[in-house]
Amino acid sequence: MEPSAPITLAIVEDDPRIRETLSSLITFDVGLSLLCQCGSAEVALEELPGLMPQVAIVDIGLPGMSGIELVRHLSMEMPGTQFMMYTVHDSDQRVFDALKAGANGYLLKNTPTERIRNAVRELMQGGAPMSTAVARRVIDHFRPIQERVEQHLEPLTEREYEVLSLLAEGLIYKEIAVQMGIATGTVGQHVHAIYRKLHVQTRTEAVNRYFGR
């Protein structure tokens, strides 16, 4: 069986020391092949479309045009290239701006060498490698609204949750009382507690805040 062709890469990084580190990392891996190194986004815009690397490792904080803007420009022109951000920035805004621009992975510059190699291969296998801290931010962002509400507000008791669920179905207090086998006045007490905990004034606000409707 013939060995598979090495994965072709490009580096876009303005810091020559980091560029050299990444270059050495790629050069000493027989499964990887470095096509070019660019010190700015402007140079990358000129060189990368003609080379069509399979993976481009891109710094965000480039002089002039940012790495995010570069990816936004090239991702349309080079749909076959996987773009991996390689940066010190892990702020929510930078992460999501990069992903929206077309980045396929996001590694921080304190990532261990072996993890970078593995991340390149993950990209080529359809994965979306991210540093642990970045992955956690993404997970937290897309966590179901109910979980986020529960995390930041006083939790509802089991009975309060049941009452709120029935309110969400459109039942009136008397119907809820019959279904739960409690007095109508007790339902009212539960509703009052729910409103207090969720900081709302009406049924609709309570349902929307807790269930994200």
Side-chain angles (χ1 to χ4, degrees), residues 10-15 19 34 36-48 51 57 59 62 70:
I11 298 170
V12 186
E13 166 64 62
D14 65 304
D15 187 324
R19 205 163 56 236
L34 181 62
C36 74
Q37 303 178 49
C38 304
S40 70
E42 288 76 11
V43 172
L45 278 174
E46 292 292 327
E47 295 195 15
L48 266 58
L51 296 172
I57 300 175
D59 180 27
L62 297 169
L70 172 66

Side-chain angles (χ1 to χ4, degrees), residues 143-204:
R143 180 183 298 169
I145 292 174
Q146 178 176 331
E147 292 184 21
R148 279 185 266 163
V149 168
E150 291 174 341
Q151 182 178 3
H152 294 98
L153 298 175
E154 186 178 348
L156 302 182
T157 66
E158 184 176 343
R159 280 300 216 185
E160 290 164 355
Y161 176 79
E162 186 176 357
V163 169
L164 183 57
S165 297
L166 294 173
L167 285 173
E169 294 176 15
L171 275 64
I172 61 176
Y173 285 17
K174 184 176 181 180
E175 292 170 330
I176 294 174
V178 171
Q179 184 157 328
M180 294 181 63
I182 59 178
T184 303
T186 303
V187 174
Q189 292 173 1
H190 285 314
V191 171
H192 178 76
I194 292 168
Y195 288 2
R196 176 181 56 79
K197 290 181 177 181
L198 298 183
H199 307 295
V200 297
Q201 301 293 326
T202 68
R203 173 202 299 247
T204 301

Side-chain angles (χ1 to χ4, degrees), residues 45-93:
L45 278 174
E46 292 292 327
E47 295 195 15
L48 266 58
L51 296 172
M52 288 293 178
Q54 292 171 291
V55 175
I57 300 175
V58 182
D59 180 27
I60 284 182
L62 297 169
M65 178 185 291
S66 74
I68 293 175
E69 282 300 313
L70 172 66
V71 171
R72 183 173 288 114
H73 279 79
L74 291 182
S75 58
M76 299 295 290
E77 188 175 353
M78 302 166 57
T81 297
Q82 304 291 306
F83 293 94
M84 182 160 64
M85 311 313 293
Y86 186 64
T87 176
V88 296
H89 300 290
D90 67 346
S91 69
D92 290 357
Q93 193 62 51

Side-chain angles (χ1 to χ4, degrees), residues 18-35:
I18 296 175
R19 205 163 56 236
E20 180 60 30
T21 298
L22 290 173
S23 175
S24 298
L25 171 69
I26 295 168
T27 301
F28 289 108
D29 189 320
V30 295
L32 307 177
S33 175
L34 181 62
L35 298 183

